Amino acid sequence: FGDLYGLSDKQVVLPTTLEYLAFGCFNSIEKLTYQSWIGGTIKCCKEQICLSDASYIYDGGKAEGLDISYTRTFSNTWGTLVLPFAMMLTGDEPYSLYVIESMNADELVLRRVEGQTEAGTPYLVKRNGEQKKLSFEAQKAFVTFDNTKASPVEGSTLSFSGTYKAKDVTSGYIIRNDRFWDVARIRETSAGTQAIKVGPFRSWLDGDEANGASVLSLHIGDDVAFYDLNGKRLSTPQRGINIVKRGNKTMKVIIK
């Protein structure tokens, strides 16, 4: 058993493929690290859960008072996320989390989340800086894999939904290259593609096509940038002609 899992005499790290564990296996162990979710823990010692996209995930189950983390490498600036535990955001993380508040034409309006997050709630993740490998973690957390929450998107027929396991979807929108793309149109342009896979611990927009848009851009609410006519960014608007960029929309504003 020790050779199989790479154990010391006091600590055990279980593999991502583990699906079942019998009670009493590790009565003499001081610390047990799970890299999969087997529907609960055996509470024989100090335990922690370290999840990744490779982790086996059992449907349902709960646990209390555990240190838990989920780690993923993000190749783009934006991604999606749903976690089976809540976190307390300090503002110093190398990422920011957002919820979708509404939709205007072909644009999703986002609101940044501060403080406490909610388990099972879908979020958008924005990397702050160059760090690509991000870890989301909580100490002494309540962990539940029973279900996820769908958040309706105001101004559309869509809901922001999440999944803890890889899922095939045939409609709605998935995130790619920092935008949401219509699944039905992706299928039409990819011969023989019956469904698009959403990875584990990720979210997608579930529902019918929104206002005929094939692509939905992202706009952070109240995120406005000002530039002069030479393209230099301004901290505040100046007298004369200003270039104002709000989301993916740009306009000229004259201030007297």
Side-chain angles (χ1 to χ4, degrees):
F1 211 85
D3 291 338
L4 179 61
Y5 296 119
L7 315 181
S8 71
D9 57 349
K10 296 296 182 182
Q11 299 187 34
V12 178
V13 179
L14 300 174
T16 59
T17 54
L18 182 72
E19 300 182 15
Y20 174 77
L21 190 61
F23 180 78
C25 288
F26 303 110
N27 288 333
S28 62
I29 296 297
E30 292 182 358
K31 184 177 181 181
L32 187 59
T33 299
Y34 299 84
Q35 295 186 93
S36 68
W37 174 252
I38 57 175
T41 60
I42 61 175
K43 302 185 183 303
C44 64
C45 57
K46 182 181 171 123
E47 297 171 304
Q48 67 177 8
I49 303 174
C50 299
L51 300 175
S52 68
D53 287 349
S55 298
Y56 167 79
I57 302 297
Y58 175 83
D59 288 325
K62 300 177 182 179
E64 292 187 54
L66 291 176
D67 292 350
I68 183 168
S69 66
Y70 165 68
T71 302
R72 187 203 307 170
T73 298
F74 288 74
S75 57
N76 295 307
T77 300
W78 288 93
T80 60
L81 182 73
V82 62
L83 296 172
F85 57 92
M87 299 186 298
M88 177 59 71
L89 301 176
T90 65
D92 295 327
E93 294 83 7
Y95 59 84
S96 299
L97 298 185
Y98 295 85
V99 293
I100 301 175
E101 282 204 320
S102 61
M103 178 178 166
N104 299 322
D106 58 354
E107 184 179 72
L108 295 169
V109 180
L110 313 181
R111 174 177 55 83
R112 183 172 175 173
V113 177
E114 298 179 348
Q116 188 80 20
T117 68
E118 295 184 16
T121 296
Y123 294 105
L124 277 157
V125 184
K126 183 177 183 289
R127 290 193 294 117
N128 300 330
E130 299 300 319
Q131 182 175 331
K132 293 186 176 181
K133 188 173 184 180
L134 301 180
S135 183
F136 309 89
E137 53 193 40
Q139 284 71 48
K140 297 180 180 178
F142 175 73
V143 182
T144 174
F145 278 85
D146 281 349
N147 50 54
T148 60
K149 304 170 185 176
S151 304
V153 178
E154 182 182 337
S156 76
T157 58
L158 302 170
S159 292
F160 200 26
S161 301
T163 179
Y164 298 133
K165 304 171 80 169
K167 178 181 180 66
D168 289 335
V169 299
T170 57
S171 62
Y173 291 76
I174 61 167
I175 196 165
R176 284 186 178 179
N177 300 321
D178 300 332
R179 294 183 177 183
F180 277 91
W181 299 77
D182 181 19
V183 170
R185 299 197 187 190
I186 296 175
R187 292 170 56 207
E188 289 174 0
T189 57
S190 303
T193 300
Q194 300 299 315
I196 305 297
K197 189 174 293 295
V198 175
F201 301 102
R202 288 165 172 79
S203 306
W204 79 104
L205 286 168
D206 193 18
D208 299 326
E209 184 178 297
N211 302 330
S214 60
V215 182
L216 303 176
S217 61
L218 306 177
H219 164 57
I220 300 173
D222 298 326
D223 183 17
V224 181
F226 300 94
Y227 300 86
D228 63 20
L229 291 178
N230 295 318
K232 181 181 178 180
R233 185 160 184 170
L234 306 171
S235 57
T236 57
Q238 62 184 8
R239 287 186 178 182
I241 300 176
N242 295 260
I243 305 299
V244 180
K245 185 175 182 182
R246 184 188 296 272
N248 66 347
K249 295 179 171 59
T250 303
M251 66 189 78
K252 289 184 179 181
V253 175
I254 300 175
I255 297 179
K256 298 180 180 181

